[in-house]
Amino acid sequence: MTRDPRYDILFEPVRIGPLTARNRFYQVPHCNGMGHRDPSSLAAMRGMKAEGGWAVVCTEMVEIHHASDVAPFVELRLWSDHDIPMLARIAEKVHAHSSLAGIELCHSGYTANNLWSREVPVAASPMPTGSYIYDPVQARGMDKEDIRNLRRAHRKAALRSREAGFDLVYVYAGHGLGIFQHFLSRATNFRTDEYGGSLENRARLLREVIEDTKDAVGDRCAVPVRIAMHEFQGSAGLEPAEVEDAIAMMAELPDLWDLSLSDWSHDSQTSRFAEEGFQEPYIKGVKKLTSKPVVGVGRYTSPDAMVRVIRQGIMDMIGAARPSIADPFLPRKIEEGRLDDIRECIGCNVCVTHDFTMSPLRCTQNPSMGEEWRRGWHPEIIRPKDEDAHVLVVGAGPAGLEAARALGQRGYQVTVADRASEAGGRVARECRLPGLSAWGRVRDWRMLQLAKLPNVSLYLESDMTPETVAELGADHVLVATGAEWLRDGTGRYFLTPAALAEGAEILTPDDVMAGGRPRSRQVVIYDDDHYYMGGVLAELMVKEGYAVSLVTPAPVASAYTKASLEQKAIQARLLKLGVRIVASQAVSAVAADHVTLECVFTGAASRLEAGSVLMVTARRPVDSLWQSLAAHNVAATRAGDCLGPATIAAAVHAGRNYAENFGRPPLDHLEIPFKREVAALS
C-alpha cells in the first residue's frame, strides 16, 4: 500500500535549530513508571517509538540535581556523571532508527519533596510542597545564590545531556512541575526582587536558563522550551494571553516551543471528558508569535486532524504521548497507507495510572508497551508458530480477541466462540456507558485484524459445553469467558456478604448494561470498586431521572481515578448533576426501603433511604466451562477476567501473553517469566 497524498505534509522534514527532524511526528516527553530503576526497559520502549517512525523521541522528566528529587515517583536522573551511561543507552536506541533524541531536564521546585535525598526543597517563594503526596514539608524561598546555583546545575545537566548523545535539550516550564513555570506564574511567585512582580521579571529566570542552555550546547543541540499555556486557576495563575506575552518576549530564543496545559490532569484529559484536539483553543495563538516550530498535543489519532492543525497554522509538529503509547508505529502506518491498522488510543489513562503506582508503563490497546525489553515483545511482530495446532478460544472479550489475533498472526488455526450476539465482551457493554464510547476501539481494532486472518474463524451465539468442545476437536482450549459483578455486597471493605433482606431490589452493573433498570426512582449505588464504574453508572442513572446517592467507603467518589487524573472531574460532574456522595461509609445491610451504613472510622450505624440498590463492589470469574472441562479431564487454560478479574488492559495483556507463550514448555513456578535489572554493588 502507498501513502495517501493528502498526508504528504506530515512527512515533510522540519528544521529545529541546528537539526532536521525527518517528519512532523514528535513524541513529547512522557512519564512511564520505569525511569532510573528500569533503564533497559525504558530505552527499549523509546527505541520502539523511533522504529515506528516518530522523528523526535523524548525522555520523561530528568531530575538535574539531588535537590530536585521527586521520589517515590520513578523518573530519570542526571545528578552526576554516573548517570550518563544510563541515559546514553536511550539516545543510542533512538538514533538506531534515525530519529532525534530529546531529554527533558527538570528541576521540580516546590513539587519535589526530596524524600530520597532528604535535602530541603526550594521554591520561587516559600510555600508548602505541592507534590501529589501530602508530605508535611515546606519549601524554602530561593535567594540569589540559589538561583545562580540552579542555573549552574541546569547548564551542567545540559552538557551531560550532550555527552550522553541527546539532540534536543529541554528547558521545562510546564505541567506545574517545572521550577521555571513556578517563577513565571503569579500563583507561585510572590517575590519583590528582579525575579518577581511584572511579567518581564517573572520570565527573567526562564530567559536566562534558555540563554545558558543555548550557550552551553546550542552549537550541536536544539533547545526546546515546554511551557504551560493555562493553569486554570483564574486570574491568580497563568492564562493564554499572559503566556503568549511571555512567549512574544523571547519568541526566537529557543529552537522550538512545546505547548502544554497545567496541571497534568488538564494536559492529559481522558476521552470521558475531552475530545481529540481539546487543547487547540489554548494554543492556537502561539504560531503567529514565532518563526520557530511549535509542537502541540491533543490525543491526535486521525491523520486528517493532524493535517488540519498544520494547514491551519496551529502547530508545525504533531506532538503525542498517549497515541504513541497505543501505537508506536502510527507514523509508519500513515506513511504506508495502512490507516485501518492504526491502534488508536482510547484515552482511558491506564498509562498514567502506572506512573502513579511507580510500576512499568502499560496500555489498554498495546499490550507490548513496557514489555519490549522485559519480555521481548514487539507491537507489530510476533514469532511464527512452532508447529501446526488448532486452538479454540472460548470468549470474544478483550482477552479472547487479543489471544486469537496474536495466535492467528503466528499462523495457528484459531476458532473463537462466544455465546453473545456481538463480539467484545465487557468492552462491548461498557463502551455504551456515558463517556466511554472510545473504549470500543479495543474491540474494533481487533475485529479488523481478525478479518484479515483467513486462519481465524469467529462464531457468535455459540454456547460451548464440554461436548461441543470435544466435537470441535481443537488441540488446545483457552477459556476467556470473563467475570460477573457480585450482588451480595462483597468487596474491599466487607470481604463477606452484607445482610440482604428478602424483597430488597439489588442490581449489578451487568444488569444495567443489559438494559435492566431499578423499579424505584430512589437509588443507592454502593461503590466499593473505586474505579470508573460506580461514577459512570451514577451519571447514567441521574441523567435518566433517578435520584442517586453514591455511597463509598473511600473519602471521595471513584477514588482510584486519582491515578488516571480524573477524580476531580468525576466528582465535580456528579455533584453538578445532583448526585449525593456519601463518603467514608460502607453498606452493611440492605432492606426493602433502606440501606444500613457503617462509618469506616467509628463503626457507627446509620440509615439511608433507598428503594433500589446498585452494587458496584467486586467481580467473580465466569469459569464454569473451565471447571466442567477439568471434570472431563480436558486440558484448558484460563486467561483474563476468567482467571483474575482486573482492568481491560490486564485482560488484553493476558491474551497476548497466552499467545506469546503458546507452544513453549511451561515455566516452573519459581522461574521469573521476564527480565529485570538488578543493581551491581559497588
Side-chain angles (χ1 to χ4, degrees), residues 441-454:
R441 293 173 174 177
V442 175
R443 169 203 56 204
D444 297 344
W445 182 81
R446 285 162 180 81
M447 292 296 288
L448 279 170
Q449 301 308 305
L450 291 180
K452 299 178 182 182
L453 296 169

Side-chain angles (χ1 to χ4, degrees), residues 526-582:
Y526 178 43
D527 184 6
D528 199 17
D529 174 64
H530 308 296
Y531 199 12
Y532 56 87
M533 185 59 74
V536 167
L537 291 178
E539 181 178 343
L540 174 69
M541 293 284 97
V542 76
K543 285 180 176 178
E544 291 186 355
Y546 293 89
V548 178
S549 296
L550 189 147
V551 177
T552 176
V556 294
S558 303
Y560 182 72
T561 61
K562 287 183 179 180
S564 59
L565 304 176
E566 299 174 280
Q567 196 283 320
K568 287 185 179 179
I570 290 170
Q571 185 134 346
R573 175 173 288 181
L574 295 182
L575 292 172
K576 289 175 182 177
L577 288 171
V579 174
R580 178 186 178 190
I581 297 173
V582 183

Side-chain angles (χ1 to χ4, degrees), residues 129-143:
T129 54
S131 171
Y132 292 103
I133 297 172
Y134 291 111
D135 197 52
V137 173
Q138 293 194 192
R140 64 179 179 83
M142 297 173 68
D143 59 25

Side-chain angles (χ1 to χ4, degrees), residues 42-54 57 93-94 97 324 328-329 332 366 368-369 371-373 376-380:
L42 176 52
M45 180 268 287
R46 299 296 186 197
M48 193 66 72
K49 306 279 193 77
E51 182 183 343
W54 298 88
V57 178
K93 291 288 186 181
V94 173
H97 299 284
S324 75
F329 279 67
R332 277 183 55 175
N366 176 14
S368 70
M369 181 51 54
E371 302 287 20
E372 299 87 352
W373 180 82
W377 292 3
H378 192 286
E380 306 300 315

Side-chain angles (χ1 to χ4, degrees), residues 198-444:
S198 68
L199 178 60
E200 183 178 6
N201 281 355
R202 287 181 278 119
R204 185 183 306 278
L205 181 59
L206 177 59
R207 172 187 285 276
E208 290 173 343
V209 173
I210 297 171
E211 291 171 341
D212 292 342
T213 309
K214 293 275 286 186
D215 180 66
V217 300
D219 57 332
R220 285 169 39 192
C221 302
V223 178
V225 171
R226 199 176 199 188
I227 193 166
M229 294 301 300
H230 204 318
E231 289 184 325
F232 299 93
Q233 297 186 41
S235 59
L238 294 173
E239 295 180 298
E242 185 176 40
V243 179
E244 288 179 10
D245 288 343
I247 291 173
M249 291 177 184
M250 50 189 114
E252 303 302 305
L253 191 54
D255 296 308
L256 177 144
W257 290 97
D258 180 350
L259 309 180
S260 64
L261 301 179
S262 182
D263 62 6
W264 193 11
S265 64
H266 290 105
D267 197 53
S268 294
Q269 295 181 51
T270 63
S271 56
R272 187 172 169 187
F273 293 97
E275 299 292 332
E276 180 181 44
F278 66 93
Q279 296 207 16
E280 290 176 31
Y282 307 105
I283 68 175
K284 63 184 180 182
V286 173
K287 189 69 194 90
K288 68 178 183 291
L289 302 175
T290 178
S291 67
K292 300 301 176 75
V294 171
V295 174
V297 297
R299 209 174 62 250
Y300 292 105
T301 60
S302 163
D304 293 308
M306 298 174 191
V307 169
R308 175 184 58 78
V309 295
I310 291 169
R311 292 202 182 281
Q312 289 180 353
I314 295 174
M315 60 186 78
D316 299 289
M317 302 187 78
I318 304 300
R322 292 171 292 174
S324 75
I325 294 168
D327 198 337
F329 279 67
L330 184 151
R332 277 183 55 175
K333 290 174 181 177
I334 297 174
E335 186 171 27
E336 295 168 1
R338 298 189 293 121
L339 301 189
D340 60 349
D341 287 336
I342 294 173
R343 198 185 295 104
E344 289 187 278
C345 172
I346 71 170
C348 68
N349 276 8
V350 77
C351 51
V352 175
T353 66
H354 291 278
D355 187 61
F356 275 87
T357 55
M358 304 84 173
S359 53
L361 178 65
R362 60 211 64 187
C363 175
T364 300
Q365 277 281 58
N366 176 14
S368 70
M369 181 51 54
E371 302 287 20
E372 299 87 352
W373 180 82
R374 293 202 327 161
R375 298 180 191 262
W377 292 3
H378 192 286
E380 306 300 315
I381 301 168
I382 192 168
R383 65 190 178 93
K385 64 183 179 181
D386 302 300
E387 57 185 12
D388 289 341
H390 178 198
V391 183
L392 169 63
V393 178
V394 184
L401 289 178
E402 176 62 17
R405 184 207 63 78
L407 287 166
Q409 185 181 357
R410 291 186 63 191
Y412 291 107
Q413 179 187 352
V414 183
T415 300
V416 186
D418 196 298
R419 67 171 57 169
S421 60
E422 64 174 335
R426 62 181 288 192
V427 171
R429 298 187 295 273
E430 293 184 19
C431 74
R432 296 189 178 99
L433 296 173
L436 304 187
S437 61
W439 294 25
R441 293 173 174 177
V442 175
R443 169 203 56 204
D444 297 344

Side-chain angles (χ1 to χ4, degrees), residues 568-602:
K568 287 185 179 179
I570 290 170
Q571 185 134 346
R573 175 173 288 181
L574 295 182
L575 292 172
K576 289 175 182 177
L577 288 171
V579 174
R580 178 186 178 190
I581 297 173
V582 183
S584 304
Q585 299 283 335
V587 172
S588 60
V590 180
D593 60 353
H594 72 277
V595 296
T596 300
L597 305 181
E598 177 180 299
C599 175
V600 301
F601 300 111
T602 67

